[in-house]
DNA sequence: ATCGAGTTGCACAGTGCTGTGCAACGGCGT
DNA sequence: ACGCCGTTGCACAGCACTGTGCAACTCGAT
């Protein structure tokens, strides 16, 4: 017990690698079995259970680490900033930095086997939407640093966000459709006032 | 075989109800078992297999129905509209109409058991973000028909969208962070030019 | 009353996963 | 050389789920 420079090197290193590999593996398949994870970490299933009492404990540790890091980044990004716009911009940038590390996690956490199928078959709709957005960009009606296909993703996820907002009672279902339309147009770079006016005119 | 007004009423009605209930049930838990679905539909597991040869077939049918309806709505919404902004607005409104029916599906399809835990623990971050957004709205820096908490959802999903865009190679990872910041600010109602300038200034 | 499609209840084989127990084996420090 | 900790390999019980087979039942229709 003289050195302890690296903790209990052998075991600690393994625990660390199991966590890292588990992260990568659980993205590719959120239902990855303990055996898949163990094998990917170059270790036997039994060994994983030596470090984590249960599958749930493993995942819990994983989520805790990610959330803690993310939370810290978000707070650090906006610390001592007065202007709300700058605060938002800074925190987004800060979060993005390490979100990049967990990018696969989040993106792939959505790709349930079910979700995968849905997104695939939705491709035609997304392409149509991309076409319209491209039009707008070409004509200068829209303005965005993002290419049309990426904007289509944004549009899609925006709808999801609004649906969740409605589910959680943050927005009235009656209003949500128009709010969604306005927000999407605004995100595409149409001035807020123009977007509001346009949408209002559509539903008389 | 005289009437046939309702098809094979008994069986057809059951098939329909199984599909409807399965939709609702698969949201609450994407891994819902055939037994859970059957029971929820007031029927026995064996009966479900009488209508759909396998679990996958059931889900496939479900997805097909939803996608087809959605696709039609999207196309109908923007049919014969020249102005891109109006086309986007119309199609979003059209999609929203019936997305409302599948709202639970999509929103809850994201709530994997894993995802559920993540979102829960992320609540503090979301609250902080809501605070900043509320500030911006109060000061008139932001402009949106959405309340701050809903905007926080939008911000969160926007990050997800950008992550997916990066994963699919639509945006360079180097640029993505700044694009995310700009797009989020723009969606919140900050004029596109101001947002671009602000973010550019931050990363010198 | 009888036919038949649809439904039910049960039983079964197969599969894949979890969590645990235990004996044997490996290297690293002393 | 010895001991210890971590690891390995194997075996096991338990569980939950999927598909399938089959006999019995329940309705509506004729």
């Amino acid at each position: 017990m003289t050195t302890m420079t690296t903790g209990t090197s052998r075991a600690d290193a393994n625990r660390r690698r199991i966590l890292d590999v588990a992260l990568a593996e659980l993205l590719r398949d959120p239902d990855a079995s303990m055996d898949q994870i163990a094998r990917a970490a170059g270790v036997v299933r039994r060994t994983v259970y030596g470090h984590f009492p249960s599958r749930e404990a493993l995942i819990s540790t994983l989520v805790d680490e990610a959330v803690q890091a993310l939370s810290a980044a978000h707070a650090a990004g906006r610390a001592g900033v007065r202007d709300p716009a700058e605060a938002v911009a800074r925190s987004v940038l800060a979060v993005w930095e390490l979100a990049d590390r967990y990018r696969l996690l989040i993106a792939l956490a959505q790709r349930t086997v079910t979700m995968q199928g849905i997104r695939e078959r939705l491709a035609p709709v997304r392409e149509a939407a991309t076409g319209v957005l491209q039009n707008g960009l070409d004509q200068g009606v829209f303005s965005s640093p993002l290419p049309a296909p990426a904007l289509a993703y944004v549009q899609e996820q925006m709808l999801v966000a609004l649906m969740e907002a409605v589910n959680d009672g943050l927005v009235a279902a009656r209003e949500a459709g128009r709010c969604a339309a306005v927000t999407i147009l605004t995100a595409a770079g149409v001035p807020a006032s123009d977007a509001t006016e346009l949408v209002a005119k559509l539903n008389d």
Side-chain angles (χ1 to χ4, degrees), chain A:
Chain A
M1 200 190 277
T2 46
T3 50
M4 191 172 280
T5 50
T6 55
T8 315
S9 57
R10 195 151 58 272
D12 259 9
N14 259 0
R15 183 191 148 93
R16 190 63 256 156
R17 199 170 60 198
I18 289 174
L19 281 172
D20 290 339
V21 169
L23 179 62
E25 212 63 12
L26 280 173
L27 317 222
R28 219 194 32 192
D29 175 13
D31 294 330
S33 71
M34 291 297 258
D35 194 60
Q36 283 175 51
I37 294 173
R39 298 246 163 220
V43 111
V44 181
R45 194 167 63 98
R46 195 60 184 78
T47 302
V48 177
Y49 279 103
H51 288 285
F52 306 93
S54 74
R55 175 194 171 73
E56 199 183 343
L58 205 190
I59 294 183
S60 194
T61 304
L62 229 41
V63 173
D64 278 342
E65 279 189 1
V67 167
Q68 198 176 344
L70 214 106
S71 183
H74 188 267
R78 68 179 195 285
V81 179
R82 279 221 195 91
D83 177 28
E86 186 177 336
V88 167
R90 281 191 183 279
S91 56
V92 167
L93 287 173
V95 164
W96 184 268
E97 288 293 325
L98 54 83
D100 209 47
R101 207 205 138 190
Y102 298 108
R103 178 155 45 87
L104 284 174
L105 174 144
I106 296 184
L108 292 172
Q110 297 201 318
R111 303 208 174 159
T112 315
V113 184
T114 308
M115 209 53 180
Q116 183 72 7
I118 294 179
R119 286 186 61 88
E120 263 172 33
R121 307 197 214 196
L122 224 45
V125 178
R126 192 162 33 241
E127 275 173 35
T130 302
V132 175
L133 290 167
Q134 185 67 61
N135 259 6
L137 287 172
D138 290 345
Q139 297 182 25
V141 180
F142 298 153
S143 150
S144 168
L146 296 172
L151 265 184
Y153 279 35
V154 168
Q155 176 175 334
E156 207 174 312
Q157 288 302 119
M158 202 95 95
L159 282 172
V160 171
L162 265 292
M163 288 182 198
E164 294 221 37
V166 173
N167 282 341
D168 295 359
L170 300 176
V171 180
R174 291 285 307 249
E175 306 295 332
R178 282 185 288 279
C179 287
V182 171
T183 307
I184 287 173
L185 285 177
T186 309
V190 175
S193 53
D194 295 7
T196 308
E197 192 184 346
L198 171 59
V199 173
K201 199 161 50 184
L202 287 185
N203 108 303
D204 49 10

